[in-house]
Amino acid sequence: MNSAVMAPAEAGVEARVEASTRDVEKTAHENNKLHKRLCRLVGQAIGDFNMIEDGDKVMVCLSGGKDSYALLDILMTLRERAPIHFDIVAVNLDQKQPNFPADILPAYLDKLGVKYHIENQDTYSIVKRLIPEGKTTCSLCSRLRRGILYRVADELGCNKIALGHHRDDILETFFLNMFFGGKLKAMPAKLQSDDGKHIVIRPMAYVKEADSTRYAEVKQFPIIPCDLCGSQENLQRKQIKGLMREWEKKYPGRVESIFSSLSTIVPSHLMDRAMFGFVDLKADGEANAQGDIAFDDEPCATPTLAPGVFSIQPQ
């Protein structure tokens, strides 16, 4: 009788164990897919823009946020698989913000076994002294931080400076410049630094913020909050972020299409006279396949991004 009573209970326990095991295996599978996707996208961006070459020394700017942690993690993975050799040094700028947990990053980097440098500069006091109370400090803080990081890159012998901006950052900047600055301008994946001495790269340029957020959760990065200085949130960027989120919800694929358009520019169909010779344009009697299609019924197809030469196969 007891065995008859126990049998269903034991079967229930076994079923729950099996279900739990399947859930664990499914989660592990999804996490592995995420890691492979990030490696593929970062590797593709590096290849498409020739961001990293043999012999480079890359300074990875580590803020303590999810994106810079993900950037360092993925670059370390790709370094082991890449057909070229490059060095990595992680750099954090301790700006002496109140309540900044100065022990977190050194402990994490020591455990990781990566070369790193902590630069201590009290830019917080400078910003607070120069910016009136209630005004945003981000612009001045960014300029000060940029100058310091350029100097540190020189001192460390780094010729590349890697930042953790992702696809959504680039798109938000594009819309901010268009809506509020009157310019078609975004964050480039690769550019020359202001001082002309370094190349600044954004290897996460093809990565969605949602993937970066999820990866930070999976890896359990020791995130340091970005509001330590007490500065106001960029309300304009917040509006753009909300707009993009609404678009993606109502019209799946729209954000991806807009991002693709940043690499598919047709100067002859815009209005920048410096980019296209409108003034000297004449009818030459030759057919032009890229001519005026403003009255076509179907919109132009947007080509997909082609894989780059920095090819790393997911493992």
Side-chain angles (χ1 to χ4, degrees):
M1 179 176 178
N2 289 338
S3 60
V5 173
M6 291 294 294
E10 291 174 353
V13 170
E14 183 177 348
R16 287 193 295 272
V17 169
E18 289 179 355
S20 178
T21 300
R22 286 196 299 270
D23 289 341
V24 170
E25 291 174 348
K26 180 180 179 181
T27 299
H29 177 67
E30 292 299 322
N31 292 344
N32 186 50
K33 283 176 57 179
L34 174 62
H35 182 253
K36 287 183 176 180
R37 181 161 66 250
L38 292 181
C39 287
R40 175 176 57 81
L41 291 172
V42 171
Q44 181 180 343
I46 291 173
D48 284 353
F49 294 92
N50 192 28
M51 292 184 185
I52 299 176
E53 300 173 273
D54 190 47
D56 279 348
K57 188 172 184 180
V58 182
M59 184 176 93
V60 179
C61 298
L62 193 64
S63 66
K66 59 179 174 56
D67 303 317
S68 61
Y69 275 124
L71 172 63
L72 177 62
D73 186 274
I74 297 300
L75 282 182
M76 291 182 68
T77 298
L78 296 185
R79 183 179 58 176
E80 300 303 317
R81 305 175 183 175
I84 61 174
H85 171 79
F86 63 95
D87 293 318
I88 293 174
V89 56
V91 171
N92 170 254
L93 173 57
D94 184 346
Q95 299 175 267
K96 301 307 176 185
Q97 298 166 326
N99 303 316
F100 181 79
D103 59 315
I104 288 181
L105 283 172
Y108 173 77
L109 294 169
D110 281 332
K111 183 178 180 180
L112 204 60
V114 65
K115 294 179 182 178
Y116 69 91
H117 171 77
I118 306 296
E119 179 70 15
N120 294 284
Q121 295 287 335
D122 188 3
T123 62
Y124 174 80
S125 296
I126 297 174
V127 169
K128 285 300 182 182
R129 185 176 73 250
L130 297 178
I131 302 296
E133 190 68 29
K135 298 293 184 179
T136 181
T137 63
C138 296
S139 179
L140 176 58
C141 183
S142 295
R143 290 198 299 273
L144 292 172
R145 184 170 62 245
R146 185 162 60 244
I148 292 169
L149 291 173
Y150 289 165
R151 173 180 58 76
V152 172
D154 273 339
E155 294 172 355
L156 296 176
C158 297
N159 62 321
K160 299 288 177 67
I161 300 174
L163 305 177
H165 297 118
H166 47 64
R167 185 202 69 170
D168 295 57
D169 288 325
I170 293 172
L171 279 173
E172 288 165 16
T173 302
F174 170 71
F175 284 118
L176 282 169
N177 280 312
M178 183 168 61
F179 292 162
F180 302 106
K183 296 180 180 179
L184 285 178
K185 178 183 176 182
M187 287 178 175
K190 178 182 180 182
L191 74 155
Q192 187 182 69
S193 61
D194 293 352
D195 62 6
K197 298 179 180 179
H198 313 92
I199 294 296
V200 178
I201 58 175
R202 295 183 169 96
M204 301 261 288
Y206 294 163
V207 175
K208 299 178 183 179
E209 183 175 19
D211 280 350
S212 178
T213 300
R214 174 59 184 154
Y215 194 66
E217 294 170 353
V218 170
K219 299 291 288 188
Q220 296 184 326
F221 295 136
I223 304 297
I224 298 175
C226 62
D227 59 353
L228 293 171
C229 63
S231 63
Q232 295 177 337
E233 184 177 7
N234 187 322
L235 297 181
Q236 292 177 342
R237 186 172 289 273
K238 184 177 180 181
Q239 291 172 4
I240 296 298
K241 190 181 290 288
L243 180 65
M244 288 172 51
R245 189 163 49 242
E246 187 68 18
W247 277 346
E248 193 60 27
K249 181 180 179 181
K250 287 186 176 181
Y251 311 102
R254 172 177 288 188
V255 172
E256 190 68 37
S257 179
I258 295 172
F259 183 73
S260 180
S261 74
L262 296 183
S263 60
T264 316
I265 300 170
V266 185
S268 64
H269 285 56
L270 295 173
M271 298 181 66
D272 190 333
R273 298 189 303 279
M275 294 293 295
F276 187 79
F278 293 105
V279 174
D280 299 321
L281 188 64
K282 307 292 183 183
D284 59 9
E286 297 292 331
N288 185 353
Q290 298 298 320
D292 191 358
I293 54 173
F295 300 103
D296 287 6
D297 292 331
E298 295 296 328
C300 301
T302 304
T304 56
L305 296 169
V309 297
F310 189 90
S311 179
I312 295 178
Q313 298 300 322
Q315 294 180 357

mmCIF file of all heavy atoms in Angstrom, residues 279-304:
data_model
loop_
_atom_site.group_PDB
_atom_site.id
_atom_site.type_symbol
_atom_site.label_atom_id
_atom_site.label_comp_id
_atom_site.label_asym_id
_atom_site.label_seq_id
_atom_site.Cartn_x
_atom_site.Cartn_y
_atom_site.Cartn_z
ATOM 1 N N VAL A 279 25.987 71.455 -58.639
ATOM 2 C CA VAL A 279 26.149 72.696 -59.401
ATOM 3 C C VAL A 279 26.605 72.414 -60.833
ATOM 4 O O VAL A 279 26.137 73.047 -61.790
ATOM 5 C CB VAL A 279 27.165 73.626 -58.692
ATOM 6 C CG1 VAL A 279 27.467 74.852 -59.551
ATOM 7 C CG2 VAL A 279 26.623 74.066 -57.329
ATOM 8 N N ASP A 280 27.494 71.448 -60.988
ATOM 9 C CA ASP A 280 28.047 71.145 -62.307
ATOM 10 C C ASP A 280 27.325 70.010 -63.024
ATOM 11 O O ASP A 280 27.767 69.573 -64.095
ATOM 12 C CB ASP A 280 29.529 70.782 -62.170
ATOM 13 C CG ASP A 280 30.348 71.917 -61.586
ATOM 14 O OD1 ASP A 280 30.074 73.074 -61.947
ATOM 15 O OD2 ASP A 280 31.242 71.642 -60.755
ATOM 16 N N LEU A 281 26.234 69.522 -62.454
ATOM 17 C CA LEU A 281 25.520 68.383 -63.039
ATOM 18 C C LEU A 281 24.844 68.784 -64.356
ATOM 19 O O LEU A 281 24.105 69.771 -64.409
ATOM 20 C CB LEU A 281 24.477 67.863 -62.048
ATOM 21 C CG LEU A 281 23.764 66.565 -62.418
ATOM 22 C CD1 LEU A 281 24.749 65.407 -62.482
ATOM 23 C CD2 LEU A 281 22.663 66.262 -61.395
ATOM 24 N N LYS A 282 25.119 68.019 -65.397
ATOM 25 C CA LYS A 282 24.548 68.279 -66.729
ATOM 26 C C LYS A 282 23.937 66.987 -67.286
ATOM 27 O O LYS A 282 24.332 65.883 -66.904
ATOM 28 C CB LYS A 282 25.637 68.755 -67.703
ATOM 29 C CG LYS A 282 26.465 69.941 -67.238
ATOM 30 C CD LYS A 282 25.656 71.219 -67.171
ATOM 31 C CE LYS A 282 26.571 72.390 -66.779
ATOM 32 N NZ LYS A 282 25.804 73.654 -66.635
ATOM 33 N N ALA A 283 22.989 67.145 -68.165
ATOM 34 C CA ALA A 283 22.431 65.994 -68.876
ATOM 35 C C ALA A 283 23.422 65.597 -69.962
ATOM 36 O O ALA A 283 23.691 66.372 -70.876
ATOM 37 C CB ALA A 283 21.073 66.349 -69.486
ATOM 38 N N ASP A 284 23.974 64.381 -69.854
ATOM 39 C CA ASP A 284 24.995 63.957 -70.821
ATOM 40 C C ASP A 284 24.481 62.932 -71.818
ATOM 41 O O ASP A 284 25.240 62.427 -72.644
ATOM 42 C CB ASP A 284 26.212 63.403 -70.085
ATOM 43 C CG ASP A 284 25.866 62.207 -69.199
ATOM 44 O OD1 ASP A 284 24.724 61.708 -69.291
ATOM 45 O OD2 ASP A 284 26.743 61.762 -68.415
ATOM 46 N N GLY A 285 23.200 62.610 -71.737
ATOM 47 C CA GLY A 285 22.622 61.671 -72.690
ATOM 48 C C GLY A 285 22.878 60.222 -72.370
ATOM 49 O O GLY A 285 22.436 59.330 -73.109
ATOM 50 N N GLU A 286 23.611 59.948 -71.266
ATOM 51 C CA GLU A 286 23.907 58.579 -70.875
ATOM 52 C C GLU A 286 22.906 58.092 -69.827
ATOM 53 O O GLU A 286 22.578 58.823 -68.881
ATOM 54 C CB GLU A 286 25.322 58.488 -70.291
ATOM 55 C CG GLU A 286 26.428 58.842 -71.279
ATOM 56 C CD GLU A 286 26.559 57.820 -72.391
ATOM 57 O OE1 GLU A 286 26.241 56.638 -72.137
ATOM 58 O OE2 GLU A 286 26.979 58.187 -73.503
ATOM 59 N N ALA A 287 22.396 56.852 -70.017
ATOM 60 C CA ALA A 287 21.448 56.286 -69.053
ATOM 61 C C ALA A 287 22.155 56.064 -67.716
ATOM 62 O O ALA A 287 23.316 55.680 -67.666
ATOM 63 C CB ALA A 287 20.888 54.965 -69.566
ATOM 64 N N ASN A 288 21.449 56.309 -66.621
ATOM 65 C CA ASN A 288 22.007 56.174 -65.275
ATOM 66 C C ASN A 288 21.110 55.274 -64.447
ATOM 67 O O ASN A 288 19.974 55.643 -64.126
ATOM 68 C CB ASN A 288 22.138 57.545 -64.610
ATOM 69 C CG ASN A 288 22.828 57.481 -63.254
ATOM 70 O OD1 ASN A 288 23.101 56.396 -62.739
ATOM 71 N ND2 ASN A 288 23.085 58.647 -62.676
ATOM 72 N N ALA A 289 21.624 54.085 -64.109
ATOM 73 C CA ALA A 289 20.816 53.123 -63.337
ATOM 74 C C ALA A 289 20.496 53.630 -61.948
ATOM 75 O O ALA A 289 19.547 53.171 -61.309
ATOM 76 C CB ALA A 289 21.565 51.795 -63.241
ATOM 77 N N GLN A 290 21.298 54.587 -61.450
ATOM 78 C CA GLN A 290 21.068 55.141 -60.117
ATOM 79 C C GLN A 290 20.370 56.499 -60.186
ATOM 80 O O GLN A 290 20.438 57.298 -59.264
ATOM 81 C CB GLN A 290 22.413 55.301 -59.384
ATOM 82 C CG GLN A 290 23.151 54.004 -59.158
ATOM 83 C CD GLN A 290 22.364 53.049 -58.276
ATOM 84 O OE1 GLN A 290 21.748 53.459 -57.304
ATOM 85 N NE2 GLN A 290 22.373 51.776 -58.620
ATOM 86 N N GLY A 291 19.686 56.732 -61.288
ATOM 87 C CA GLY A 291 19.047 58.027 -61.480
ATOM 88 C C GLY A 291 17.828 58.220 -60.607
ATOM 89 O O GLY A 291 17.618 57.531 -59.614
ATOM 90 N N ASP A 292 16.961 59.157 -61.012
ATOM 91 C CA ASP A 292 15.814 59.537 -60.189
ATOM 92 C C ASP A 292 14.771 58.423 -60.179
ATOM 93 O O ASP A 292 14.182 58.084 -61.199
ATOM 94 C CB ASP A 292 15.191 60.817 -60.751
ATOM 95 C CG ASP A 292 14.165 61.412 -59.802
ATOM 96 O OD1 ASP A 292 13.919 60.801 -58.747
ATOM 97 O OD2 ASP A 292 13.620 62.475 -60.113
ATOM 98 N N ILE A 293 14.538 57.845 -59.007
ATOM 99 C CA ILE A 293 13.522 56.793 -58.867
ATOM 100 C C ILE A 293 12.445 57.251 -57.881
ATOM 101 O O ILE A 293 11.770 56.459 -57.248
ATOM 102 C CB ILE A 293 14.147 55.470 -58.384
ATOM 103 C CG1 ILE A 293 14.945 55.688 -57.092
ATOM 104 C CG2 ILE A 293 15.049 54.870 -59.454
ATOM 105 C CD1 ILE A 293 15.442 54.402 -56.472
ATOM 106 N N ALA A 294 12.317 58.566 -57.749
ATOM 107 C CA ALA A 294 11.387 59.113 -56.764
ATOM 108 C C ALA A 294 9.945 58.701 -57.025
ATOM 109 O O ALA A 294 9.128 58.693 -56.106
ATOM 110 C CB ALA A 294 11.485 60.640 -56.738
ATOM 111 N N PHE A 295 9.615 58.353 -58.273
ATOM 112 C CA PHE A 295 8.228 58.028 -58.588
ATOM 113 C C PHE A 295 7.989 56.533 -58.753
ATOM 114 O O PHE A 295 6.923 56.117 -59.208
ATOM 115 C CB PHE A 295 7.797 58.780 -59.855
ATOM 116 C CG PHE A 295 7.900 60.269 -59.710
ATOM 117 C CD1 PHE A 295 8.952 60.953 -60.284
ATOM 118 C CD2 PHE A 295 6.967 60.980 -58.974
ATOM 119 C CE1 PHE A 295 9.069 62.324 -60.144
ATOM 120 C CE2 PHE A 295 7.076 62.351 -58.831
ATOM 121 C CZ PHE A 295 8.128 63.041 -59.410
ATOM 122 N N ASP A 296 8.991 55.726 -58.413
ATOM 123 C CA ASP A 296 8.804 54.281 -58.471
ATOM 124 C C ASP A 296 7.794 53.846 -57.423
ATOM 125 O O ASP A 296 7.694 54.432 -56.346
ATOM 126 C CB ASP A 296 10.126 53.552 -58.222
ATOM 127 C CG ASP A 296 11.068 53.671 -59.420
ATOM 128 O OD1 ASP A 296 10.709 54.404 -60.354
ATOM 129 O OD2 ASP A 296 12.137 53.047 -59.399
ATOM 130 N N ASP A 297 7.072 52.766 -57.744
ATOM 131 C CA ASP A 297 6.070 52.257 -56.812
ATOM 132 C C ASP A 297 6.703 51.599 -55.605
ATOM 133 O O ASP A 297 6.211 51.708 -54.484
ATOM 134 C CB ASP A 297 5.141 51.267 -57.516
ATOM 135 C CG ASP A 297 4.274 51.961 -58.550
ATOM 136 O OD1 ASP A 297 3.983 53.158 -58.368
ATOM 137 O OD2 ASP A 297 3.893 51.295 -59.525
ATOM 138 N N GLU A 298 7.798 50.849 -55.829
ATOM 139 C CA GLU A 298 8.418 50.091 -54.753
ATOM 140 C C GLU A 298 9.639 50.833 -54.221
ATOM 141 O O GLU A 298 10.405 51.407 -54.989
ATOM 142 C CB GLU A 298 8.850 48.706 -55.258
ATOM 143 C CG GLU A 298 7.690 47.818 -55.672
ATOM 144 C CD GLU A 298 6.776 47.473 -54.512
ATOM 145 O OE1 GLU A 298 7.276 47.363 -53.373
ATOM 146 O OE2 GLU A 298 5.566 47.328 -54.740
ATOM 147 N N PRO A 299 9.833 50.822 -52.897
ATOM 148 C CA PRO A 299 11.030 51.462 -52.340
ATOM 149 C C PRO A 299 12.274 50.683 -52.691
ATOM 150 O O PRO A 299 12.210 49.515 -53.064
ATOM 151 C CB PRO A 299 10.768 51.429 -50.823
ATOM 152 C CG PRO A 299 9.864 50.253 -50.628
ATOM 153 C CD PRO A 299 8.983 50.223 -51.863
ATOM 154 N N CYS A 300 13.407 51.348 -52.576
ATOM 155 C CA CYS A 300 14.689 50.682 -52.859
ATOM 156 C C CYS A 300 14.917 49.563 -51.867
ATOM 157 O O CYS A 300 14.619 49.699 -50.683
ATOM 158 C CB CYS A 300 15.847 51.672 -52.742
ATOM 159 S SG CYS A 300 15.723 53.079 -53.848
ATOM 160 N N ALA A 301 15.461 48.471 -52.332
ATOM 161 C CA ALA A 301 15.857 47.403 -51.417
ATOM 162 C C ALA A 301 17.152 47.802 -50.731
ATOM 163 O O ALA A 301 18.036 48.384 -51.340
ATOM 164 C CB ALA A 301 16.042 46.100 -52.193
ATOM 165 N N THR A 302 17.237 47.504 -49.461
ATOM 166 C CA THR A 302 18.444 47.821 -48.699
ATOM 167 C C THR A 302 19.321 46.595 -48.614
ATOM 168 O O THR A 302 18.911 45.579 -48.063
ATOM 169 C CB THR A 302 18.082 48.289 -47.269
ATOM 170 O OG1 THR A 302 17.196 49.394 -47.362
ATOM 171 C CG2 THR A 302 19.333 48.681 -46.498
ATOM 172 N N PRO A 303 20.525 46.647 -49.163
ATOM 173 C CA PRO A 303 21.400 45.469 -49.110
ATOM 174 C C PRO A 303 21.850 45.170 -47.697
ATOM 175 O O PRO A 303 21.959 46.068 -46.868
ATOM 176 C CB PRO A 303 22.592 45.884 -49.983
ATOM 177 C CG PRO A 303 22.600 47.382 -49.937
ATOM 178 C CD PRO A 303 21.151 47.783 -49.833
ATOM 179 N N THR A 304 22.104 43.909 -47.426
ATOM 180 C CA THR A 304 22.582 43.516 -46.109
ATOM 181 C C THR A 304 24.077 43.756 -46.009
ATOM 182 O O THR A 304 24.778 43.841 -47.013
ATOM 183 C CB THR A 304 22.290 42.031 -45.839
ATOM 184 O OG1 THR A 304 22.887 41.255 -46.884
ATOM 185 C CG2 THR A 304 20.798 41.772 -45.821
#
